[in-house]
Amino acid sequence: MENQLAKSTEERTFQYQDALPSLPVPSLEESLKKYLESVKPFANEEEYKKTEEIVQKFQYGVGEKLHQKLLERAKGKRNWLEEWWLNVAYLDVRIPSQLNVNFAGSACHIEHYWPPKEGTQLERGSLSLWHNLNYWQLLRKEKVPVEKVGNTPLDMNQFRMLFSTCKVPGITRDSVISYFRTESEGRSPNHIAVLCRGRVFVFDVIHEGCLITPPEILRQLTYIHKKCYSEPDGFGIAALTSEERTRWAKAREYLIHLDSENLTMLEKLQSSILVYSIEGGSPFATPEDYSQVATMLLTGDPTVRWGDKSYNLISFSNGLFGCNCDHAPYDAMVAVNISYYVDEKIIENEGRWKGSEKVRDIPLPEELVFTVDEKILNDITQAKAQFLKQSSDLQIVACFFTSFGKKLTKKKNLHPDTFIQLALQLAYYRLHGRPGCCYETAMTRHFYHGRTETVRSCTIEAVRWCQSMQDPSTSDLTVTF
């Protein structure tokens, strides 16, 4: 990634999309063989024999017919799985998204120029936003480098969903709307939304044809911060996005019916480049322990993040940052890419702004004040209560292992991923005396609109290794598979 982001390239971000191969349909025989291999570590002899019989019956019965239907579907679609995956894994899910579907992660700026420090939230926030918006401009110009494995380009479609994208709740199924356009495709929204103490503000980031500067962004954030901390809190409309999906969909419909201007304001939020959250908390964090900040990124104030937004950039009062993102439109490696870019720029500029301090006469942020009634206020109260209840049942530990890293495992001819997966299996085996059913993400971005697949890392060989590790009579040299 470092080399790809550092070098300039004439390649356009999305230029290989049409040339990517279609997602293949694996053979039925291969799929069933892998299924049996994944079952074997967890079944006794009798259970495994019974499973084999069921698989065989399926293979030569309804499985054959279903497989033919898959092959037929694949003839008319470049990615036969895409629509099903999006719907079943994300859009049909009715449980609250914010805690159960969204992903979150802390920025690692604390490891260099931005350690926790009160009073830095707004100044650092203006710089972080500016670097994020520069990345947005690179993406619009298709200058974000194409990610590759060797010389093979990967699908970049998910990057389209990073900005100006939002999930919209539905009674039985949600939908995803993306307003993002590259420069060659036409106009794209150029405003961001800022949430602070239950209130919502928007402002344009392009003025007189160019991106506003960090001092100008700071002026906007300072205006919002002073206003919110000297006046009563807002209604906290954003908390509704943390609700059970059907309840949120009904509340949204009611909100729109209450006043048509509410729809206009919802669309401004949905289409914004990103949501910037001004949190009041000061989570503890060190380069060795991100547990508390990671927890607050997922469980912080639900009135200052829009749970359906593809990108919530969250700031805390002690100058820490992170993101909370809806998982439906893209996977976490997209967020890792922009986070890495921003971190590199902060390091490159020593955590400071080195340009002009001049602030042009740009319009002040606009506040979006929704029309509400007693029912909506009750819905917000209920949403906050259920979010708080669910949040209290979440435990996150995010500590860094610093004794050694991938250089040592590679030196021992052991792939870092193999090392981690076996370590997970051994830890589980030592705790519970049995193998752990483990999911590991694999990516399918070699193919058109590919996203992820499942790796079942608990194998018979892994179980035998765990057993050997627990056997005192086994020496280092006799551990075999």
Side-chain angles (χ1 to χ4, degrees), residues 414-424 440 465 481:
L414 189 61
H415 193 283
D417 182 62
T418 305
F419 178 84
I420 292 296
Q421 292 302 320
L422 286 173
L424 288 171
E440 184 186 10
W465 178 78
F481 299 141

Side-chain angles (χ1 to χ4, degrees), residues 438-462:
C438 193
Y439 164 93
E440 184 186 10
T441 304
M443 67 96 175
T444 57
R445 287 174 56 203
H446 284 285
F447 305 104
Y448 180 79
H449 286 193
R451 289 190 60 170
T452 62
E453 251 302 344
T454 303
V455 174
R456 296 294 179 193
S457 53
C458 184
T459 62
I460 285 293
E461 292 80 6

Side-chain angles (χ1 to χ4, degrees), residues 84-97:
W84 288 344
W85 178 249
L86 183 62
N87 289 339
V88 176
Y90 300 112
L91 304 183
D92 291 344
V93 176
R94 298 292 88 195
I95 58 175
S97 294

